Amino acid sequence: MKDKPVVLKFGFLLLMIISSLYVSAQRQMENLGRGVVAVRQGADSVFISWRILGTEPDDITFNLYRKTANTTAKKLNQTPLSKGTNFVDVAINPDLDNSYFVKAIIKNQEQEASKPFLLKAKSAVNQYLTIPLKTPVGYTPNDASVGDLDGDGEYDIVLHQTGRSRDNSSNGLTDPPIFQAYKIDGTFLWEINLGKNIREGAHYTQFMVYDLDGDGIAEFACKTADGTIDGIGKVIGDSTKDYRNRNGRILEGPEFFTIFSGKTGEALATTDYIPARGDISAWGGKGGNGKNDNSGNRVDRFTACIAYLDGIHPSVVMARGYYGRTVLAAWDWRGGKLSSRWVFDSKDGRSPFSGMGNHNLSVADVDGDGKDEIIFGSMCVDDNGKGLYTTGLRHGDALHVSDLDPERPGLEVFGVHEIEEGTKGPGVAVYDARTGEILWHGSEDEDVGRGVADNIDNTRVGAQMWWSGSNGLFDIKGNRIGAQPRSTNFLIYWDEDPSRELLDGNHIDKYNGGRLLTADGAIANNWTKSTPTLSADLFGDWREELVLRSYDNQSLRIYTTTIPTEHRNYTLMHDPQYRLSIAWQNVGYNQPPHTGFYFGYGMKKAPKPNIILVKPAAQNIK
């Protein structure tokens, strides 16, 4: 007994050492370029912005250059630019080609020039870039994701083209889901057709775009089936098989999981999807006759994400079910081999984790050990595939995870919850992301479909929250502080301050302010959800870009802000939680991304991300 305190002390010390090793491990992330972008504001005015990388020193400064036609490049700033990474050039000749590039200054030494951005002669006065599309007849551009598909340090787009689709609750045939890859300049890269044995709809095909093996080039991953055609024309499985039943549902036949090359679209590895359908009625919910759901509605509810489960390398997590049985399967893609890392399975209704998933999810390091957890509605799965906790608050439609309350240590979760099949409880709640402790709840026994939380009031510190039927804006403690915002949808960083703006459909508004953007000629997706094709910090400074489809479905438009700011921050894509948010944004009911630290009014300087940038090998970028 005398030795017990020594043993406990040694055990605690060992735990602290192990934890410190995990925290000090560096995550592999994309080696991005400067992302210089220039758009015309007026007859002779151009707005230019560029990135700071997450690994660069705080005192980095820049020189900005403009090269017009065949003239020598001219430096536009008199002294090094040390505040916001944006600039307004007011003396251009719009009838000539103008290209812009920056040179970083580190320790008084000017570095090499960035990749230039070419603003072509007679460019239109607008604030978007256009990507022409090869949209198949009868199809519509829908959700997109990004990754560096060719190793040039800039993002490329993977776009989900949707034809005739059906919700899981509806019968009927659908068109095969199609995916296309494009460079930002409009160069078409490849097309993948998932085939007739993959049903089209918001809950069926969740796709991940990420550099999974650390070679500097992103992969594309999703569920596949007999008849899927990869980007080089190769068929997966047996193309003669047709498993669609008379209701248009696919409840038999093999299900696969495939890793595709981001560069070519070629299928690199295919294996059986985990989990298999099993007993279709065991996935929860009741049919119209009050019996277990045998229609295929609940069994085919899929989600997915990317997570750094070892703190260094990304893994892809594919999930099935959330109304009842819930299964998450983690996969590693390393050295050309696909392997199962772990499988979490709630199994049945006796598990407190059953029925707690969402129509979406989030990924964050909730316990500070450097490794990610999956926050899935009212439950959390640890990095080792074990259930960390469940709040018991049921499933829901919207989820927000960040440092919503900077007065408390750690991250918080805000979510809305449905009332169905006789269940009761809060319609909205805030809980501690590490422990699941419920910090605040409201709208008791109400079915709440939408909700948002972030700092949108640029006079108050901390996140605000609001939801359908909230009749007001509330602080994160639950106090009503103002009128309910115009929309309960998406968010975007757009103007000069670090508070967020309201993104809804094709327009951006300032809370308690006016309209900042109306994207005439462009349209949002997903019917009443009215969500963007993508919203992310794709290039330029830390503000986010808005990707929408054109009315005629023949192009994408990437809108970028032209509002000057002196607020300086490294690219949000080098914050690990934000970057993973972009990967899962397309999943289920799309949700806006969040940083892993408090970003908003009264914020402290953003913490340096513990990352290492992966440069592709020379042979990978040929």
Side-chain angles (χ1 to χ4, degrees):
M1 292 296 293
K2 293 181 180 181
D3 293 332
K4 188 173 181 179
V6 177
V7 173
L8 290 175
K9 185 175 181 179
F10 175 77
F12 177 76
L13 180 61
L14 182 61
L15 178 63
M16 292 298 292
I17 292 173
I18 294 173
S19 297
S20 67
L21 290 175
Y22 281 126
V23 172
S24 64
Q26 291 181 299
R27 297 181 180 219
Q28 296 178 349
M29 293 193 72
E30 295 149 322
N31 184 54
L32 299 174
R34 287 287 166 216
V36 178
V37 64
V39 291
R40 286 189 61 194
Q41 290 183 296
D44 57 358
S45 176
V46 174
F47 181 85
I48 311 103
S49 68
W50 60 93
R51 295 187 183 105
I52 296 176
L53 306 183
T55 54
E56 293 183 314
D58 293 338
D59 60 356
I60 188 172
T61 57
F62 296 92
N63 287 328
L64 172 64
Y65 295 83
R66 180 188 69 224
K67 188 176 188 304
T68 302
N70 296 320
T71 63
T72 302
K74 176 184 178 181
K75 187 170 70 171
L76 300 181
N77 52 293
Q78 294 183 349
T79 59
L81 300 171
S82 59
K83 295 182 180 179
T85 53
N86 56 85
F87 189 91
V88 178
D89 184 8
V90 295
I92 71 161
N93 184 341
D95 295 327
L96 299 175
D97 285 351
N98 290 277
S99 63
Y100 294 88
F101 61 91
V102 294
K103 293 184 179 181
I105 304 171
I106 300 176
K107 295 181 179 179
N108 296 318
Q109 295 294 316
E110 192 176 58
Q111 308 298 301
E112 65 181 29
S114 70
K115 179 180 177 180
F117 181 92
L118 174 62
L119 188 65
K120 293 183 178 180
K122 302 183 187 301
S123 294
V125 177
N126 58 44
Q127 59 185 104
Y128 62 84
L129 309 182
T130 300
I131 301 178
L133 300 176
K134 295 184 177 183
T135 302
V137 175
Y139 277 69
T140 300
N142 198 262
D143 294 333
S145 193
V146 293
D148 185 354
L149 303 181
D150 56 9
D152 67 352
E154 303 300 336
Y155 284 117
D156 308 298
I157 290 182
V158 176
L159 174 66
H160 184 180
Q161 294 272 20
T162 63
R164 176 179 48 180
S165 65
R166 299 283 184 181
D167 187 79
N168 291 56
S169 60
S170 301
N171 292 330
L173 293 172
T174 73
D175 291 322
I178 290 176
F179 288 89
Q180 297 176 334
Y182 296 87
K183 293 186 66 62
I184 295 293
D185 66 8
T187 302
F188 177 80
L189 298 177
W190 48 256
E191 178 176 293
I192 294 170
N193 187 318
L194 296 188
K196 57 181 171 287
N197 292 312
I198 295 290
R199 203 167 190 244
E200 177 64 271
H203 303 293
Y204 291 104
T205 296
Q206 318 304 338
F207 63 99
M208 292 290 108
V209 181
Y210 211 84
D211 179 10
L212 298 172
D213 58 2
D215 67 352
I217 294 178
E219 284 76 37
F220 171 72
C222 69
K223 182 174 177 282
T224 57
D226 278 339
T228 293
I229 303 173
D230 76 0
I232 62 172
K234 184 172 60 178
V235 176
I236 294 174
D238 186 346
S239 62
T240 68
K241 298 296 186 182
D242 186 346
Y243 296 105
R244 296 173 295 180
N245 65 21
R246 64 181 182 180
N247 292 322
R249 298 181 183 273
I250 303 161
L251 302 179
E252 59 180 358
E255 300 175 286
F256 305 131
F257 174 56
T258 300
I259 303 291
F260 297 89
S261 165
K263 186 189 300 184
T264 66
E266 178 186 7
L268 302 177
T270 296
T271 189
D272 290 337
Y273 189 88
I274 297 176
R277 298 181 188 93
D279 181 358
I280 291 174
S281 66
W283 292 89
K286 302 291 184 181
N289 57 6
K291 296 182 180 180
N292 285 342
D293 176 21
N294 292 301
S295 69
N297 179 4
R298 306 303 173 89
V299 66
D300 277 352
R301 299 282 181 152
F302 297 98
T303 50
C305 63
I306 303 294
Y308 286 77
L309 301 174
D310 65 358
I312 302 173
H313 312 93
S315 300
V316 58
V317 180
M318 306 298 291
R320 185 176 214 152
Y322 40 77
Y323 288 105
R325 183 187 177 196
T326 302
V327 182
L328 287 76
W331 298 91
D332 291 339
W333 173 246
R334 311 270 193 273
K337 294 183 179 180
L338 182 61
S339 61
S340 173
R341 186 176 188 87
W342 49 250
V343 177
F344 169 89
D345 192 343
S346 72
K347 295 183 179 178
D348 54 45
R350 291 188 295 272
S351 169
F353 291 90
S354 288
M356 297 296 148
N358 253 41
H359 292 276
N360 34 61
L361 41 66
S362 187
V363 178
D365 177 12
V366 304
D367 53 12
D369 65 356
K371 298 179 288 184
D372 287 326
E373 283 71 43
I374 295 98
I375 304 95
F376 195 13
S378 299
M379 57 180 277
C380 183
V381 176
D382 206 350
D383 54 76
N384 60 6
K386 307 296 183 183
L388 187 61
Y389 61 78
T390 173
T391 65
L393 294 179
R394 312 168 316 284
H395 93 279
D397 290 0
L399 185 72
H400 301 265
V401 182
S402 187
D403 188 2
L404 302 175
D405 185 353
E407 294 181 355
R408 294 185 72 258
L411 307 177
E412 292 79 35
V413 181
F414 168 81
V416 301
H417 305 279
E418 292 185 7
I419 302 295
E420 62 169 18
E421 298 174 2
T423 61
K424 292 185 177 182
V428 295
V430 178
Y431 66 85
D432 185 288
R434 181 178 64 86
T435 65
E437 176 191 0
I438 298 173
L439 305 173
W440 176 87
H441 57 86
S443 293
E444 299 300 318
D445 300 332
E446 295 182 15
D447 190 318
V448 179
R450 295 190 182 189
V452 188
D454 210 338
N455 177 248
I456 62 168
D457 186 337
N458 62 355
T459 67
R460 296 176 183 268
V461 176
Q464 291 80 48
M465 54 184 176
W466 67 104
W467 56 96
S468 51
S470 66
N471 191 32
L473 182 70
F474 293 76
D475 67 19
I476 204 64
K477 309 289 189 183
N479 303 303
R480 190 182 189 281
I481 57 173
Q484 185 168 342
R486 297 182 181 95
S487 71
T488 311
N489 195 3
F490 247 65
L491 300 162
I492 191 168
Y493 295 111
W494 193 258
D495 68 2
E496 72 280 1
D497 64 51
S499 294
R500 226 156 180 195
E501 283 66 59
L502 305 171
L503 167 59
D504 185 35
N506 70 341
H507 53 86
I508 297 171
D509 296 290
K510 185 77 173 175
Y511 178 70
N512 281 341
R515 175 81 29 109
L516 299 179
L517 174 75
T518 298
D520 292 325
I523 190 171
N525 293 326
N526 304 319
W527 302 284
T528 60
K529 302 297 181 189
S530 198
T531 50
T533 294
L534 182 69
S535 179
D537 180 12
L538 299 180
F539 41 65
D541 60 29
W542 55 271
R543 272 87 62 85
E544 295 171 293
E545 278 65 48
L546 168 62
V547 185
L548 298 171
R549 59 186 169 95
S550 61
Y551 278 152
D552 63 4
N553 296 323
Q554 299 307 305
S555 66
L556 293 179
R557 292 183 178 182
I558 307 179
Y559 290 82
T560 187
T561 187
T562 57
I563 301 172
T565 182
E566 293 188 352
H567 185 81
R568 163 181 279 222
N569 206 85
Y570 55 81
T571 174
L572 299 184
M573 295 297 250
H574 276 170
D575 171 58
Q577 182 176 324
Y578 181 92
R579 180 63 186 92
L580 297 180
S581 298
I582 301 307
W584 56 245
Q585 187 180 135
N586 68 81
V587 170
Y589 293 163
N590 306 36
Q591 297 289 284
H594 292 277
T595 57
F597 55 91
Y598 174 65
F599 201 112
Y601 174 76
M603 68 179 289
K604 299 176 181 177
K605 186 168 67 175
K608 278 290 186 182
N610 192 21
I611 61 175
I612 184 170
L613 306 184
V614 178
K615 296 182 179 181
Q619 66 269 19
N620 289 336
I621 58 175
K622 291 180 181 179

